[in-house]
Amino acid sequence: MSARPRSLRAPPLRVLSRRSQFLALNRGLRVPAGSFLLQARDRGDGDPEIGVGFTCSRKVGNAVARNRAKRRLREAARLILPEGGRPGWDYALIGRAGVTADRPFDALLDDLRGALDRVHR
């Protein structure tokens, strides 16, 4: 199996980890997606990478519930963002109490696709 040519590859994902990156997303778009909240903004720096961050507050539950919610959000982003996200944009997926950890995974993927469609309309 051969790899896709570099020009056809999806842009790489870069994990947001600094507080300043999340604060910059507060000035961007916010889209409720049913099982989580999506924040997005165009960095405008010419870098083709897609930035993605994940967070869950204590309202989501104990450490086990928060970690499960973040794992599910990370996997959804890994599957959807390379094709549905835009190069040069940052996204933050914020878990919601009672739904992010328990929502069926297919529905979580559909939520992310729908939120990305609304952001990029």
Side-chain angles (χ1 to χ4, degrees), residues 12-85:
L13 295 180
R14 176 178 46 91
V15 177
L16 305 178
S17 57
R18 293 192 324 262
R19 185 172 190 269
S20 61
Q21 294 169 317
F22 284 91
L23 291 176
L25 279 164
N26 279 334
R27 296 187 298 269
L29 302 168
R30 295 174 146 232
V31 176
S35 56
F36 59 90
L37 176 71
L38 177 69
Q39 290 182 326
R41 80 174 184 105
D42 185 359
R43 287 189 315 269
D45 61 2
D47 185 3
E49 288 184 324
I50 295 174
V52 61
F54 310 94
T55 185
C56 292
S57 72
R58 287 187 183 173
K59 291 179 186 177
V60 173
N62 62 13
V64 173
R66 290 194 308 270
N67 288 331
R68 180 167 195 256
K70 285 190 281 188
R71 276 195 314 270
R72 292 166 54 85
L73 291 174
R74 277 193 297 269
E75 182 62 13
R78 186 187 70 80
L79 294 173
I80 303 299
L81 280 181
E83 301 299 324

Side-chain angles (χ1 to χ4, degrees), residues 93-120:
L93 285 73
I94 302 169
R96 285 192 160 164
V99 288
T100 304
D102 299 327
R103 188 151 171 94
F105 191 68
D106 290 336
L108 192 74
L109 294 175
D110 290 339
D111 289 345
L112 182 54
R113 285 185 195 102
L116 287 170
D117 286 344
R118 282 180 283 177
V119 163
H120 295 302

